[in-house]
Amino acid sequence: MKPTAPNWRELVADKLVSPEEAVAVVKDGDWVWTGGWTSVPPQLCAALAARAGQLKNLTIVNFLSPFNWDRPEVLANWKVITGYCSPFDRKAAREGRIEYVPVSRFREGKMPPGLDRLDVALIPISPPDEDGWCSFGSGVFFGPTVSGIATTLIGEIHENFIRTGGGNRIHIDRFARVCEYTLPPAAAPIPPRTEETELAANVICTLVANEIVYDGATLQFGIGDVSAALPVFLEEKHDLGVHTELLPGGIPDLVEKGVITGKYKPHHVGKVVASALGQVPPEDLARINGNDTYELYDFTHTDDIRLLLQIENFIAVNNALAVDLTGNVSSETQGNLVYSGTGGQAVFAIGASTAANGSVIVLPSSSLIGDTRHTRIVGGHPPGTVVTVHRGFVDYVVTEQGIAKLTGKSIRERINEMISIAHPDFRGELKKEAQRLYGITV
């Protein structure tokens, strides 16, 4: 990986314009990709949103966006589609102002159905090196696939973007126009853990590390309250591998200590593989930058079920909003109200369970909302709830109360396991629910 060219502005002089001039190429009726999470270009998005009164019939396509498209002037003339709701568009999706497309199928080189018609793509990139190659920084996401679909690419250049191996590069010649990013970095749309969740996560991650993760396993970390905390609990393990969608903090420590070697992975041997870095502190970014141990790839590569099924020592650790007494997992809706999206959770759970009985769901047993405590182990999900992971692909559910081992268990056995890891305050009521819903006395 070559460093940024010192004279990079000269190399792009014929393309370098203001954000407003860059998005001037967008025309009526275009479908415009505006990125996902850390791959969203904030200044280009803001410049495009400012044209809401000028352009007609635009369709904005995004995925877990930290940019707020829920604006009257935008929605009066444009359609906004998301494949994964963020705190900025969750309310709008629930109220029908923004369209939510459930996405759970990923095939390398192809955008998921519903997000696959694109005319223009707004993409944040690093400055070019002396050969003209740019990186997608810490978030490749759908960059390479989108770049192959959209007719026009517009780049937003970030001088602080890191470079990694893998599919994390694109040539500056692919871009019609670029602008230079001059604002502070955008905050990720993920709230911090509460103190209660932090305490629960410490217990849960200790259980997962000690009782489920084994030497030589390849891990996927879901990004969220509990699973993203797991790396710091793995220091006693040996020869772990990583193949994940979003890479949490703490991984460089494990690589440098020899805990993560990747020697038993069936592909990308010896490499830490992800699509993007999530909630990674600056000191970890500095250690990843230019280090060829780390390879970032398109989302459609890391989440391709055909690839995941080949990992015979695979453990996927993912979060949930709630799990019912038989093991069905809800991670994307609250009742019939959309909360987030499927993302890669379903394919990672299916892949890990099928290949290695290694699908793990982690969550606190309850949550305090205001002054009221609510169980997250439920008798049955409320009407309209989406089941993100079918119980047939859930091998373990872990709360701070213990581990429920579900593989090969009958419904009665599953109910007993699940009640044992529920918060003690709710176990009596859950026993009643087991009788009411399933006709089973426990």
Side-chain angles (χ1 to χ4, degrees):
M1 288 169 277
K2 293 183 178 180
T4 295
N7 64 333
W8 69 264
R9 289 179 182 83
E10 296 176 19
L11 296 178
V12 301
D14 60 330
K15 305 173 186 285
L16 187 60
V17 295
S18 69
E20 294 74 20
E21 292 171 305
V23 299
V25 299
V26 179
K27 61 186 183 301
D28 292 348
D30 278 345
W31 284 57
V32 184
W33 172 257
T34 60
W37 205 36
T38 56
S39 69
V40 171
Q43 284 187 245
L44 286 176
C45 288
L48 183 59
R51 297 191 66 197
Q54 306 167 18
L55 293 169
K56 304 296 183 184
N57 301 320
L58 244 63
T59 300
I60 302 296
V61 184
N62 61 53
F63 195 95
L64 184 56
S65 177
F67 185 85
N68 183 18
W69 291 102
D70 185 19
R71 308 178 183 198
E73 68 275 16
V74 167
L75 299 178
N77 297 299
W78 302 351
K79 179 180 180 180
V80 179
I81 297 174
T82 182
Y84 197 108
C85 290
S86 77
F88 292 102
D89 52 29
R90 184 177 299 141
K91 187 173 186 291
R94 290 177 171 183
E95 296 175 357
R97 296 190 301 279
I98 285 177
E99 301 291 331
Y100 166 59
V101 176
V103 171
S104 60
R105 287 183 289 164
F106 304 98
R107 187 178 178 93
E108 185 162 11
K110 295 185 178 181
M111 287 297 288
L115 310 182
D116 53 353
R117 177 186 167 186
L118 301 170
D119 300 300
V120 179
L122 312 183
I123 302 174
I125 54 174
S126 75
D129 63 20
E130 61 183 19
D131 295 324
W133 290 102
C134 309
S135 84
F136 295 102
S138 63
V140 172
F141 270 96
F142 296 101
T145 300
V146 163
S147 301
I149 296 174
T151 304
T152 302
L153 305 186
I154 303 172
E156 182 178 273
I157 296 179
H158 293 242
E159 277 206 282
N160 65 336
F161 267 18
I162 66 170
R163 297 178 187 269
T164 72
N168 191 6
R169 70 175 199 164
I170 185 169
H171 203 275
I172 194 65
D173 286 349
R174 301 284 303 280
F175 291 86
R177 296 183 181 184
V178 298
C179 69
E180 185 173 357
Y181 184 73
T182 58
L183 298 176
I190 293 181
R193 285 191 287 263
T194 65
E195 183 178 354
E196 182 180 52
T197 300
E198 187 86 34
L199 292 172
N202 290 343
V203 176
I204 294 167
C205 290
T206 298
L207 289 170
V208 173
N210 291 340
E211 304 295 331
I212 298 176
V213 176
Y214 50 86
D215 291 347
T218 294
L219 299 176
Q220 176 255 334
F221 305 91
I223 206 74
D225 283 347
V226 179
S227 58
L230 182 58
V232 298
F233 295 86
L234 298 172
E235 292 192 354
E236 301 303 315
K237 300 299 176 181
H238 303 89
D239 293 322
L240 298 179
V242 174
H243 182 106
T244 191
E245 171 190 288
L246 299 176
L247 191 76
I251 298 299
D253 282 344
L254 298 180
V255 170
E256 291 172 13
K257 292 175 181 177
V259 174
I260 293 175
T261 64
K263 66 187 295 184
Y264 294 114
K265 296 171 67 181
H267 32 65
H268 305 300
V269 178
K271 305 297 184 181
V272 173
V273 170
S275 182
L277 312 183
Q279 297 173 292
V280 173
E283 56 270 23
D284 280 7
L285 286 175
R287 293 150 76 188
I288 293 171
N289 187 23
N291 185 336
D292 63 8
T293 297
Y294 300 88
E295 295 187 343
L296 299 186
Y297 291 91
D298 194 288
F299 206 100
T300 65
H301 174 79
T302 58
D303 292 41
D304 192 324
I305 188 68
R306 298 171 301 174
L307 198 67
L308 303 180
L309 290 171
Q310 299 170 28
I311 309 175
E312 295 185 357
N313 55 350
F314 198 24
I315 297 176
V317 184
N318 286 291
N319 300 274
L321 294 173
V323 184
D324 75 17
L325 286 177
T326 69
N328 287 310
V329 176
S330 175
S331 298
E332 58 193 280
T333 68
Q334 294 174 322
N336 64 334
L337 299 176
V338 65
Y339 183 81
S340 55
T342 308
Q345 182 172 125
V347 292
F348 279 111
I350 292 168
S353 184
T354 302
N357 292 332
S359 173
V360 184
I361 299 297
V362 293
L363 74 166
S365 64
S366 66
S367 294
L368 194 62
I369 302 175
D371 296 326
T372 305
R373 185 166 295 281
H374 297 265
T375 182
R376 292 173 66 172
I377 305 300
V378 298
H381 293 294
T385 300
V386 170
V387 172
T388 306
V389 182
H390 184 275
R391 61 194 181 191
F393 296 106
V394 179
D395 299 300
Y396 304 92
V397 179
V398 188
T399 74
E400 78 283 2
Q401 305 295 328
I403 301 175
K405 300 177 181 179
L406 303 184
T407 305
K409 299 290 178 68
S410 69
I411 297 299
R412 182 185 301 278
E413 291 169 329
R414 284 168 173 261
I415 290 173
N416 276 310
E417 290 273 338
M418 293 299 295
I419 289 176
S420 75
I421 66 166
H423 191 283
D425 290 354
F426 299 100
R427 290 176 187 172
E429 184 60 33
L430 289 170
K431 290 178 181 179
K432 295 177 183 178
E433 285 287 280
Q435 174 63 45
R436 184 180 68 86
L437 293 170
Y438 307 103
I440 291 177
T441 301
V442 295

